Amino acid sequence: TCDKNADVISEKIQGAGDKPLGCVTDEDIIKLKLSEKKRVDFRDKLYLAPLTTVGNLPFRRICKDFGADITCGEMAMATCLLQAQTSEWALLKKHHSEDLFGVQICGKNSDHLTKCVELINRETEVDFIDLNLGCPLDLVCSKGAGCSLMNKENRLREIVRDMVEVSDVPITVKMRTGYKDKVNTAHKLILKLVDTGVSLFTVHGRSREQRYTRLSNWSYINDCGQLAGHVPLFGNGDILSYEDMLDRRKYTSVAGVMIGRGALIKPWIFTEIKEQRHWDISSSERFDILKDFTNYGLDRWGSDGRGVENTRRFLLEWLSFLYRYIPVGLLEVVPQQINQRPMAYCGRNDLETLMASNNCEDWVSISEMLLGPVPDDFVFLPKHKANSYAGDN
């Protein structure tokens, strides 16, 4: 049961004098008043989106190096956390440089999610906990979690209210515009949740069915922001330059922006936004970023054979996004648009040309420059199908 698994996870050695006498019930627990709970000022900060697989700890360190204010761990399934799966709990680990860090959990059951919140409060040090309502994967949605939870308004309200009640840290919610294409429902959910004690809404301006086939709907995000009232709302989608960010802030009611693909394509976007400039970053500077990622990966996963291959796999996943960057000095029109499919081009040197390749074999070659030769039977296929702009997950 969930309770037994929770006890396994949180079991600690206690002195004889610390052991409770008799039965301990909920009535014995002194709950924190809302005014005593941790508070976070999210407004006007740059938020790196929680990204499955590619949003790993080494990548988040890279984004922190370039000025990201808020980071969040990869989506973790509540049931897997309650089953004490080591690989799932590893997703909640942060680096000390992540000074405003949250974790994102996904589930469909209030009992599971609230128990998970209690465990996270007890076993980790996080600044907030985010509830995932945006995952579009069939494997998740078919179980009633992720984006499919947007179809259960009353259950969702109960879940968020219960999570807020048991949590020591702010509870935030990330959602899409809706489940079905052209059927927006986020505004209804916001009205349902605005008085539950939730601390932040984030709306990704696409539906589950739409995926990345069209641009993010910032007009609708603006409508949602106006309904959120005292709760700050962040917008997410299609930000790849400081002009994109300034435009969203000027013409919408959002309190901040979350950046996902834009950070994968060019993690220095956080520096560009804060300094309001276009950085014509050289290929050697970009390669140095890959060196940093490699070192961060070996530090995270180890420098033995297994650690090297883990680092290589996550590096290759990232390279399947990085190649989309078009150097500023080669653009006819600045800035680059995120859904702009780059034509094949020759860079200003061989390394810049290599980094622009959409060929998996070239990505593997770059990894070999950093981590040595791959095994003879090595094969890599990106999880996110990133070599097609219209085919992202």
Side-chain angles (χ1 to χ4, degrees):
T1 66
C2 294
D3 288 337
K4 289 183 178 179
N5 285 325
D7 290 339
V8 170
I9 297 170
S10 62
E11 182 180 14
K12 296 182 182 297
I13 299 174
Q14 297 184 359
D18 295 330
K19 293 181 179 179
L21 298 176
C23 179
V24 178
T25 68
D26 287 342
E27 294 177 354
D28 299 309
I29 300 173
I30 301 175
K31 295 184 179 296
L32 289 174
K33 295 179 181 178
L34 189 60
S35 60
E36 297 173 329
K37 295 187 179 186
K38 181 182 179 71
R39 292 177 178 240
V40 173
D41 182 8
F42 293 100
R43 295 179 185 275
D44 301 319
K45 292 182 171 60
L46 296 178
Y47 188 166
L48 172 66
L51 301 160
T52 303
T53 304
V54 284
N56 50 70
L57 187 150
F59 176 72
R60 299 197 307 269
R61 287 184 65 179
I62 293 290
C63 291
K64 283 299 296 182
D65 291 343
F66 284 112
D69 297 313
I70 308 172
T71 55
C72 186
E74 301 170 63
M75 180 186 76
M77 298 303 298
T79 52
C80 296
L81 292 172
L82 293 173
Q83 291 166 1
Q85 293 186 16
T86 304
S87 59
E88 210 72 9
W89 278 92
L91 300 177
L92 277 55
K93 183 178 176 60
K94 74 169 186 175
H95 187 258
H96 63 78
S97 64
E98 297 181 272
D99 48 359
L100 183 43
F101 173 76
V103 296
Q104 186 183 71
I105 58 177
C106 185
K108 67 172 184 178
N109 182 286
S110 180
D111 289 342
H112 288 184
L113 287 163
T114 52
K115 179 62 70 175
C116 196
V117 167
E118 290 176 323
L119 278 172
I120 291 171
N121 285 168
R122 203 155 60 226
E123 302 301 324
T124 68
E125 292 186 8
V126 300
D127 297 297
F128 64 93
I129 298 172
D130 186 68
L131 175 62
N132 179 298
L133 304 182
C135 181
L137 299 179
D138 292 338
L139 182 64
V140 174
C141 289
S142 64
K143 296 178 180 178
C147 201
S148 65
L149 197 55
M150 292 187 68
N151 297 324
K152 306 291 184 181
E153 292 183 18
N154 293 330
R155 180 193 297 179
L156 178 59
R157 177 177 168 81
E158 177 188 357
I159 286 172
V160 174
R161 184 192 62 211
D162 292 347
M163 289 174 65
V164 169
E165 183 178 355
V166 302
S167 182
D168 299 339
V169 298
I171 298 296
T172 66
V173 176
K174 182 175 186 285
M175 65 185 77
R176 290 177 176 263
T177 57
Y179 190 87
K180 295 182 178 180
D181 195 15
K182 299 180 182 179
V183 182
N184 295 332
T185 59
H187 64 287
K188 297 180 181 178
L189 299 182
I190 288 170
L191 289 174
K192 278 272 189 180
L193 301 177
V194 73
D195 63 349
T196 59
V198 66
S199 296
L200 173 71
F201 294 114
T202 302
V203 177
H204 180 185
R206 294 182 173 87
S207 68
R208 187 236 178 187
E209 291 181 350
Q210 177 186 344
R211 301 292 178 92
Y212 290 97
T213 55
R214 292 192 301 278
L215 293 176
S216 182
N217 188 345
W218 278 86
S219 175
Y220 180 65
I221 292 174
N222 177 53
D223 294 340
C224 291
Q226 292 176 345
L227 294 173
H230 66 281
V231 180
L233 184 142
F234 274 39
N236 173 221
D238 300 343
I239 294 177
L240 191 60
S241 68
Y242 77 87
E243 288 103 329
D244 291 336
M245 193 279 296
L246 291 176
D247 182 71
R248 303 324 188 252
R249 293 303 307 272
K250 182 177 181 180
Y251 295 108
T252 72
S253 54
V254 298
V257 296
M258 174 183 281
I259 304 175
R261 284 190 304 160
L264 290 168
I265 295 170
K266 56 175 205 184
W268 53 93
I269 186 174
F270 299 104
T271 298
E272 288 190 337
I273 289 174
K274 290 189 172 181
E275 298 181 1
Q276 296 193 20
R277 67 182 176 99
H278 296 294
W279 185 354
D280 189 11
I281 189 169
S282 68
S283 58
S284 61
E285 288 174 307
R286 291 161 63 196
F287 192 71
D288 285 340
I289 296 171
L290 298 181
K291 286 181 182 178
D292 287 339
F293 178 89
T294 301
N295 291 330
Y296 295 163
L298 296 175
D299 181 56
R300 173 72 180 94
W301 296 299
S303 56
D304 58 0
R306 184 175 180 179
V308 168
E309 292 315 306
N310 275 337
T311 301
R312 188 191 306 276
R313 179 168 65 89
F314 288 112
L315 173 63
L316 289 169
E317 291 287 355
W318 184 25
L319 287 169
S320 73
F321 287 90
L322 272 175
Y323 86 90
R324 302 182 187 189
Y325 171 69
I326 305 173
V328 172
L330 300 180
L331 286 171
E332 292 184 0
V333 178
V334 178
Q336 177 185 354
Q337 300 301 306
I338 200 165
N339 282 351
Q340 176 183 354
R341 183 188 292 269
M343 298 176 63
Y345 63 88
C346 289
R348 293 167 289 191
N349 54 53
D350 290 342
L351 181 58
E352 194 167 75
T353 302
L354 179 64
M355 287 180 163
S357 173
N358 64 0
N359 189 323
C360 287
E361 294 180 1
D362 288 330
W363 305 340
V364 172
S365 296
I366 293 174
S367 80
E368 290 182 316
M369 296 166 66
L370 295 159
L371 291 163
V374 299
D376 293 336
D377 58 349
F378 183 83
V379 177
F380 172 71
L381 293 174
K383 284 186 178 181
H384 290 265
K385 302 178 184 178
N387 49 353
S388 171
Y389 269 70
D392 297 346
N393 284 335

